[in-house]
Every structure is written in structure tokens, then in C-alpha cells.
Amino acid sequence: QSVLTQPPSASGTPGQRVSISCSGSSSNIGSNFVYWYQQLPGTAPKVLIYRNNQRPSGVPDRFSGSKSGTSASLAISGLRSEDEADYYCAAWDDSLRGVVFGGGTKLTVL
Amino acid sequence: EVQLVESGGGLVKPGGSLRLSCAVSGFTFSLYHMNWVRQAPGKGLEWVSSISSNNDYIYYTDSVKGRFTISRDNAKNSLYLQMNSLRAEDTAVYYCARALEPHNWFDPWGRGTLVTVSS
């Protein structure tokens, strides 16, 4: 059972907009930044969003992050087949004194 | 080019020990916090441990406290994870990752090294 809660799966057709939620608590998302990681099949994870809603250079602006209270979400617009991957949210947890990840959401592009 | 290369994984019996290494290049290692993150087969990511740039702060996930020890050698541009009293549930790919902020923003990640704990 992960500290951060994500839906196990999401799907969409090419060109659609999909959103992935991440729910936490006051000790993690509620008081710290949220980060999103993308893991393509058979590869190491890569950062997609840092500090709730910032994109590293090289990440397309189709990817956006937001946070409100103890929840966060990742939105992907103009869905493409290469976006098919696992997506993880993460945050520091003040009570656990460690980084907590969501269980991951497998995105399928239909 | 920034690179992180893990090594030291393999098959070990329950109760055994293993030492993982992560050799880095392409950046000033001594300036960054470093982390180990693992992924059990077919499962999600689990943060394992972090160490600050100058060893001031070290953190572990509860399930490895007392069994795993993170360390670094800034002169050798290397990160380590000493794993003792290994259990079947420690079976995973272990990634090392640079932290661009003290407690997150892992970028980049290494390709990982597989640790299998089995009799």
C-alpha cells in the first residue's frame, strides 16, 4: 500500500487529454513539492514535472502538473503513442522522513 | 554527459550481504545529494535511502533501517549501498539517482542493477 494514491491505470486515444491524480496527506503533498516521473517500458524513470508544475528543459509542454491541498495531478494533452508508460508521483514526507512514491499509473494509448 | 552506472547486483541467499556501487561522471558529485530507489519485479518505485552531499544527513525507508547502509566517496565519485541480512522482499532493480534538490527531483537515474534474494 503506497503512501500516495494513484489510479492503477488510465487510457486515452491519440490527441485526447488525460489526467492522472495523486492523493496524499498534510505530511507529504500538503506541505512539500510534488514531482512526477515517467517510466517507459524497460527503461529507468525520468523526471517530467518538478516543484508541482515546473517542466525540465526537453519535456514537451503537453505535460503539465498542478497541486491543490493534499492532491496533485498530471495532465497530458495531445496524447501520443509514445506517451504510453508508467507515471509516478512523489513527495517528501515530513512524518516518515523520507521520499514517498505513488503506486504508479499505467497509461495506455488506445 | 552526466552518467550514473550501478554495479554489484546479483543472486544472494536470504540472510546474505551485497554491496552496490554507483559510479558517476559528468558533474561535480560532491555538490549533490544522492539516492537509491528500487523497483521489485512488476511493481512500482520505492525510495530506499538518501545521503546529503557532505554526509550530514542520511535517511532510510523503514523496511531497510538497521540492515542497509548508504555511503559515498566524493574523491572517487562513487555512491554505495551496503545491504546486509537480505530478504526475499529486497529482490528488485536498484537505481541510483542524483537529487537536484535535497529531497527529490531525481535526475538523472542510472540504468539499475538487479538484486535477487533467493535460496
Side-chain angles (χ1 to χ4, degrees), chain B residues 69-83:
Chain B
T69 302
I70 191 171
S71 62
R72 64 190 296 161
D73 186 334
N74 287 343
K76 293 184 177 179
N77 289 339
S78 292
L79 175 72
Y80 306 102
L81 186 68
Q82 177 66 43
M83 303 186 297

Side-chain angles (χ1 to χ4, degrees), chain B residues 3-97:
Chain B
Q3 275 198 318
L4 290 76
V5 180
E6 302 92 338
S7 61
L11 175 64
V12 61
K13 289 181 167 55
S17 298
L18 218 51
R19 188 194 196 208
L20 305 184
S21 299
C22 174
V24 314
S25 59
F27 65 98
T28 306
F29 179 66
S30 61
L31 295 180
Y32 293 90
H33 289 57
M34 296 295 295
N35 291 260
W36 288 99
V37 178
R38 67 185 178 183
Q39 186 170 34
K43 302 296 185 184
L45 301 173
E46 180 186 25
W47 171 82
V48 174
S49 181
S50 68
I51 185 169
S52 62
S53 57
N54 56 4
N55 296 303
D56 279 357
Y57 300 100
I58 288 177
Y59 300 99
Y60 299 98
T61 191
D62 283 349
S63 62
V64 309
K65 282 178 185 172
R67 300 188 301 122
F68 290 12
T69 302
I70 191 171
S71 62
R72 64 190 296 161
D73 186 334
N74 287 343
K76 293 184 177 179
N77 289 339
S78 292
L79 175 72
Y80 306 102
L81 186 68
Q82 177 66 43
M83 303 186 297
N84 300 329
S85 303
L86 282 161
R87 306 166 180 166
E89 53 265 35
D90 295 319
T91 295
V93 173
Y94 285 73
Y95 296 100
C96 68

Side-chain angles (χ1 to χ4, degrees), chain A residues 59-75:
Chain A
V59 173
D61 59 7
R62 302 185 296 106
F63 294 91
S64 62
S66 64
K67 174 183 140 175
S68 177
T70 59
S71 293
S73 65
L74 173 72

Side-chain angles (χ1 to χ4, degrees), chain A residues 33 35 37 39 43-47 50-51 56 86 88 90-92 96-104, chain B residues 35 37 39 43-47 50 59-60 62 65 95 101-112:
Chain A
F33 289 126
Y35 300 76
Y37 297 91
Q39 188 175 30
T43 70
K46 162 192 148 181
V47 64
Y50 67 96
R51 293 186 187 174
D86 294 323
Y88 297 90
W92 177 259
L96 296 174
R97 307 299 288 165
V99 176
V100 290
F101 281 94
Chain B
N35 291 260
V37 178
Q39 186 170 34
K43 302 296 185 184
L45 301 173
E46 180 186 25
W47 171 82
S50 68
Y59 300 99
Y60 299 98
D62 283 349
K65 282 178 185 172
Y95 296 100
E101 292 183 331
H103 298 311
N104 223 310
W105 195 354
F106 300 148
D107 183 31
W109 300 53
R111 297 182 69 174

